């Protein structure tokens, strides 16, 4: 089976940088993706890492190390609107379905 | 605009009653999925379908049923056998392979047992 572990909660102040970690166990691997979900809303796709290294999309970056079975989402210049839950996800062995981590609730304070 | 529509947004179920949640997509995606989310929790897979007239059980399929008669539609029925159905239900779609190229989610249905 697959499992992805994330911290349950992270708190940071506006303007700061925060890193949300994700460690995974999977027998096959097609990469790691990240989703954002505001309270009561739908998850939205943020980023995808197929290979090792850093992918940058504006204020958000995502990193993957396949040798360490580890990835993280980096949020810079935090804004109040970034307060949300963030999920890492990885496909199953066949690559056709995602398993999600338990989610990290980010609270941004003034 | 392409997307996924879930209805209703809020649904109340009486004890012993079956209810059906609607999910329609116009993204021409082959794969569709149903997830359940409990407060403060992650997403757990109920059922998925990769092609019309075929679907597979996920991790928590007991007490639920689905159909996939059209590519665009993947309704979920919460039966009376589901003893704790109060949750937030999310429908998603994607190209079949690889799934990492992004799921598109609907806005969800919040089901409450009364």
């Amino acid at each position: 089976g697959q499992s992805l572990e994330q911290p349950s909660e992270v708190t940071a102040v506006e303007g700061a940088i925060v890193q949300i970690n994700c460690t995974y166990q999977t027998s096959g691997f097609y990469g790691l993706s990240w989703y954002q979900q505001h309270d009561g809303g739908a998850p939205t796709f943020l980023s995808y890492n197929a290979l090792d290294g850093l992918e940058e999309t504006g204020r958000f970056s995502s990193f993957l190390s396949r040798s360490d079975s580890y990835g993280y989402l980096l949020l810079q210049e935090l804004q109040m609107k970034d307060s949300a839950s963030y999920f890492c996800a990885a496909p199953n062995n066949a690559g056709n379905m995602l398993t999600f981590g338990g989610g990290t609730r980010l609270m941004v304070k003034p | 605009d392409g997307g996924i529509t879930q209805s209703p947004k809020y649904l109340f179920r009486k004890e012993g009653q079956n209810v059906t949640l609607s999910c329609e997509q116009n993204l021409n995606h082959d794969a569709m999925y149903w997830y359940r989310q409990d407060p403060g929790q992650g997403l757990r897979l109920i059922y998925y379908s990769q092609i019309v007239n075929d679907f597979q059980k996920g991790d928590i399929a007991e007490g639920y049923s689905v159909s996939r008669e059209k590519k665009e539609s993947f309704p979920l029925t919460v039966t009376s056998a589901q003893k704790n159905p109060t949750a937030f239900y999310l429908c998603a779609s994607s190209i079949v392979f690889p799934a990492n190229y992004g799921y598109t989610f609907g806005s969800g249905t919040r089901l409450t047992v009364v």
Side-chain angles (χ1 to χ4, degrees):
Chain A
Q2 290 179 282
S3 67
L4 297 98
E5 299 293 328
Q6 308 176 232
S8 59
E9 197 171 290
V10 172
T11 302
V13 296
E14 203 172 8
I17 299 172
V18 72
Q19 179 174 311
I20 299 173
N21 298 321
C22 175
T23 57
Y24 60 86
Q25 291 183 337
T26 177
S27 54
F29 190 70
Y30 292 95
L32 194 69
S33 55
W34 290 90
Y35 287 77
Q36 177 192 59
Q37 184 184 30
H38 287 97
D39 283 347
T44 55
F45 176 77
L46 287 177
S47 68
Y48 164 53
N49 292 69
L51 302 173
D52 290 354
L54 191 68
E55 294 282 341
E56 298 181 61
T57 308
R59 294 187 297 113
F60 293 3
S61 303
S62 56
F63 172 83
L64 176 65
S65 170
R66 288 175 295 172
S67 60
D68 295 323
S69 297
Y70 164 75
Y72 64 74
L73 181 69
L74 190 73
L75 296 83
Q76 303 182 70
E77 300 173 19
L78 281 174
Q79 301 176 10
M80 298 298 291
K81 67 178 182 180
D82 297 329
S83 292
S85 292
Y86 293 84
F87 297 88
C88 58
N92 61 355
N93 293 346
N96 59 5
M97 187 172 57
L98 288 179
T99 297
F100 288 83
T104 299
R105 187 174 181 86
L106 171 64
M107 289 185 288
V108 180
K109 297 186 175 182
Chain B
D1 287 340
I4 296 185
T5 302
Q6 287 188 244
S7 62
K9 189 172 179 65
Y10 299 95
L11 186 58
F12 298 91
R13 193 194 93 165
K14 295 181 181 179
E15 294 285 350
Q17 189 179 43
N18 291 357
V19 292
T20 297
L21 285 59
S22 171
C23 178
E24 304 275 336
Q25 56 103 356
N26 60 3
L27 298 165
N28 200 33
H29 285 165
D30 288 307
M32 297 186 74
Y33 314 84
W34 275 105
Y35 286 89
R36 170 180 171 142
Q37 187 175 35
D38 292 286
Q41 303 296 312
L43 285 69
R44 293 185 292 168
L45 183 66
I46 305 172
Y47 268 98
Y48 67 100
S49 168
Q50 297 180 22
I51 194 170
V52 174
N53 293 322
D54 186 55
F55 47 83
Q56 305 295 327
K57 293 182 178 180
D59 300 321
I60 56 166
E62 186 175 351
Y64 300 97
S65 66
V66 294
S67 63
R68 187 85 185 276
E69 297 176 1
K70 298 186 300 182
K71 186 176 184 177
E72 300 80 18
S73 179
F74 192 40
L76 173 74
T77 297
V78 184
T79 74
S80 58
Q82 172 49 241
K83 298 307 179 186
N84 184 24
T86 295
F88 188 47
Y89 290 87
L90 286 159
C91 179
S93 73
S94 73
I95 59 174
V96 176
F97 182 89
N100 242 356
Y101 282 114
Y103 276 17
T104 300
F105 282 88
S107 56
T109 293
R110 193 166 298 279
L111 174 62
T112 304
V113 174
V114 295

